[in-house]
Amino acid sequence: TAYGDVHLRRYVDLDVVVPQDRFRDLDQRLKELGYQCPDRKQDLTGWRRSLARYLSGQWQYSRGEGAFSLDVHTRVLPPGYSFPVAFEDLWRRSRDVTLTADITVRGLHPVDHALLLCYHGMKTQWRALKYVADFSGLLRSGPDCTEGALIERARQTNSTRVLALGFCLAHKLLHVSLPKDVQNWLSEKPIDDIADQVKRYL
């Protein structure tokens, strides 16, 4: 969605979000297809396994001697983040995403996707330029992800500072053009110092 071609973004794993009540079915199906959990998790059973999955919000699988990882998420963010993570709401707003000429999958609505990319950047301390490029690419991807729609959604989800930092980094590092009203909105957010620190680091 952000780059226009699935081959233009390097990645070593694939993240899939599933409803909590479908995880057991998917777990069984993946095992039938030859996927395995990491060694450190295979010994976890019962409540320990459930607790570990709850705390991380995901479960990792791999096959082919670990050459490829599949991360199955039952929650899009760990506990403690302000972004609402109800799967039903994300699914209701989701869209079809074309990966190749013959493969289409269900993907996040561009506004949800953009905000989650900002949260992901924050969660990883924006330690790689590709995270800024992902967000910037999504901003440029089309009319479904306008700055105004993003700001409105950020206000609804208590995510304005997270979004403001994403905007600021996209503008400062990759020269994404921001409308004047968005620039005025950013001027009210005390995030310039943080953005400059991240810019120097990257």
Side-chain angles (χ1 to χ4, degrees):
T1 303
Y3 297 91
D5 186 333
V6 71
H7 300 98
L8 294 179
R9 168 63 152 81
R10 182 179 180 274
Y11 54 95
V12 295
D13 65 3
L14 188 65
D15 295 289
V16 178
V17 186
V18 299
Q20 176 78 24
D21 61 359
R22 299 300 301 275
F23 175 80
R24 189 183 300 272
D25 295 337
L26 181 58
D27 178 67
Q28 182 62 40
R29 181 64 179 137
L30 288 173
K31 289 174 180 174
E32 292 170 1
L33 292 171
Y35 283 88
Q36 293 182 325
C37 301
D39 291 341
R40 67 184 183 278
K41 291 185 176 180
Q42 287 187 16
D43 294 334
L44 290 175
T45 58
W47 68 267
R48 287 183 175 84
R49 179 182 170 95
S50 297
L51 179 61
R53 186 161 50 83
Y54 169 76
L55 291 175
S56 67
Q58 68 184 54
W59 208 248
Q60 188 180 61
Y61 299 84
S62 63
R63 69 176 183 180
E65 299 181 354
F68 176 78
S69 294
L70 179 68
D71 292 346
V72 177
H73 294 256
T74 54
R75 189 176 57 236
V76 293
L77 287 167
Y81 287 83
S82 58
F83 190 82
V85 291
F87 180 89
E88 294 76 13
D89 290 341
L90 293 177
W91 180 259
R92 181 172 45 81
R93 289 192 298 272
S94 65
R95 302 281 181 88
D96 282 341
V97 177
T98 300
L99 298 183
T100 65
D102 58 344
I103 299 177
T104 299
V105 298
R106 206 68 182 161
L108 294 168
H109 185 283
V111 171
D112 291 328
H113 194 173
L115 281 180
L116 284 170
L117 288 176
C118 288
Y119 273 99
H120 186 265
M122 182 182 68
K123 188 176 73 166
T124 59
Q125 295 88 50
W126 293 99
R127 64 175 176 257
L129 185 61
K130 65 181 178 182
Y131 301 138
V132 183
D134 291 345
F135 176 67
S136 300
L138 206 58
L139 285 179
R140 295 171 168 143
S141 66
D144 288 330
C145 191
T146 65
E147 291 87 349
L150 271 170
I151 290 174
E152 180 57 33
R153 182 84 175 119
R155 285 175 175 149
Q156 295 169 0
T157 58
N158 195 27
S159 308
T160 53
R161 280 173 56 86
V162 176
L163 176 63
L165 182 56
F167 275 146
C168 208
L169 292 174
H171 180 66
K172 287 175 180 281
L173 281 162
L174 297 178
H175 311 294
V176 171
S177 178
L178 299 175
K180 191 66 176 176
D181 57 337
V182 175
Q183 295 181 41
N184 292 337
W185 179 78
L186 281 177
S187 68
E188 303 169 1
K189 303 287 181 288
I191 42 87
D192 266 343
D193 288 346
I194 299 173
D196 287 339
Q197 290 177 40
V198 175
K199 180 181 178 182
R200 285 194 297 271
Y201 167 75
L202 290 175

